Amino acid sequence: MQKLPRVYPITDVKLSELSHAEQVRLLSIGGASLIQLREKQMPALEFYQQARAAQRHGVQLLINDRVDIALAVGAAGVHLGQDDMPPDAARKLIGTQAIIGYSTHNLEQAVNAIRDPIDYLAVGPIFSTTTKSDTAPVLGLEGLRAVRQAIGHFPLVAIGGITSANAREVIEAGADSVAVISALLSVPDRITPLTQSLFHLCQT
Ligand code: 3NM
């Protein structure tokens, strides 16, 4: 994949009360070029339709968990968690050109992940978050620095509790990119300006 953009938004229908496609539209106007569609509830038909509609906004879409949906809509790739299909199995299905991202939650998982056929790894939660309930213990900036040191230049996304108040420190601690949900989506009519200003803050 090309270099990770500094800001990597993830959609949330419950939080924003907007469809995935509408969130992608607003985020893309704000400058997002890589967006993850994250959906844990919706029937496959509805998610497929929204993902297809989201594809029209001309950004790279990664589908959380669902290799089938990613393939069906021709998405740029998938983002997998520790309990999803393993990256090597997903790679066989989705091909060599697709992007595969993988969530890790501690140093050991991160170090192991760089041997998998993935394009970037995510590590989190960096800070506490209310968006995801079953998170691992927070890593803090120290934990993030330790992961960066252990993985060399491997593409690294930080996630969990990242806001305009701490994003810059997260980048300075070694993340290539910040993955963000609530700080961009909690106020639906501010999604575009909040995205713009987060990109601005994360410029290096
Ligand atoms: N994964 P917010 S934390 C989806 O630790 C997700 O892997 C996490 O939402 C992990 O930006 C998280 O609102 C929630 O804190 C991120």
Side-chain angles (χ1 to χ4, degrees):
M1 70 181 294
Q2 329 98 284
K3 227 171 127 224
L4 284 164
R6 283 285 189 226
V7 179
Y8 173 18
I10 302 176
T11 59
D12 189 314
V13 167
K14 258 206 244 155
L15 199 66
S16 64
E17 299 182 330
L18 298 172
S19 70
H20 291 285
E22 180 61 5
Q23 292 173 71
V24 167
R25 188 180 76 80
L26 296 168
L27 290 161
S28 68
I29 299 169
S33 57
L34 179 72
I35 299 174
Q36 184 186 137
L37 302 193
R38 182 169 181 270
E39 178 54 63
K40 304 285 186 188
Q41 319 256 313
M42 213 173 259
L45 173 62
E46 201 179 337
F47 190 31
Y48 165 78
Q49 287 169 337
Q50 288 197 20
R52 231 169 66 133
Q55 282 276 95
R56 292 193 208 111
H57 298 293
V59 299
Q60 287 196 300
L61 293 183
L62 301 185
I63 310 294
N64 185 286
D65 301 359
R66 299 289 302 258
V67 178
D68 56 344
I69 303 268
L71 280 167
V73 303
V78 288
H79 183 90
L80 303 169
Q82 293 282 323
D83 298 328
D84 295 327
M85 180 187 292
D88 58 342
R91 179 63 78 197
K92 283 185 198 140
L93 291 173
I94 205 164
T96 54
Q97 297 306 306
I99 298 169
I100 299 183
Y102 189 45
S103 286
T104 68
H105 307 292
N106 55 52
L107 185 62
E108 190 189 351
Q109 287 177 356
V111 167
N112 288 334
I114 64 174
R115 290 194 289 264
D116 283 323
I118 61 173
D119 297 286
Y120 71 86
L121 68 88
V123 67
I126 306 303
F127 306 111
S128 70
T129 176
T130 51
T131 308
K132 188 172 191 255
S133 54
D134 55 341
T135 53
V138 299
L139 289 148
L141 293 173
E142 276 312 305
L144 174 59
R145 279 190 202 100
V147 168
R148 168 51 82 205
Q149 203 170 19
I151 66 170
H153 292 292
F154 202 87
L156 179 62
V157 173
I159 188 166
I162 298 172
T163 67
S164 59
N166 58 32
R168 177 95 201 172
E169 295 176 295
V170 172
I171 297 288
E172 285 170 1
D176 295 304
S177 177
V178 291
V180 176
I181 303 180
S182 52
L184 295 178
L185 298 177
S186 299
V187 189
D189 60 2
R190 299 272 302 148
I191 291 174
T192 297
L194 287 171
T195 306
Q196 275 166 337
S197 77
L198 194 59
F199 268 103
H200 189 71
L201 276 168
C202 291
Q203 261 170 22
T204 45

